[in-house]
Amino acid sequence: MTIFGVAVLAACTLAGVYLGDLLGFMLGVKANAGGLMGMVSGVTGGLAATDPRPVPYGALTATFHTGPGCLVAPSVLYLAVRALMDG
């Protein structure tokens, strides 16, 4: 069952990358807008294939682990660069 879990994890991650590229195209930006979506679906799919009991915990961990890096850090960097350039 572990091999199947890894296959589901890889398929969900690749689907998240594809959907992120599609979302970026639809929004008119040249970026993958679905990195967090791919990470959460990959972790959740892998856990569901091996043992469905920790799925909610895995999804929360993936969200809160990657969320600050994907959402907060770019905002802080933007504000820091803006403060340096303005003043």
Side-chain angles (χ1 to χ4, degrees), residues 24-80:
F25 175 75
M26 289 171 52
L27 292 173
V29 295
K30 292 184 180 181
N32 185 329
L36 188 62
M37 175 180 57
M39 177 67 178
V40 174
S41 65
V43 168
T44 305
L47 284 174
T50 56
D51 186 9
R53 290 176 293 176
V55 167
Y57 306 109
L60 285 174
T61 302
T63 300
F64 290 116
H65 177 68
T66 57
C70 294
L71 303 173
V72 176
S75 300
V76 170
L77 178 63
Y78 168 75
L79 293 173

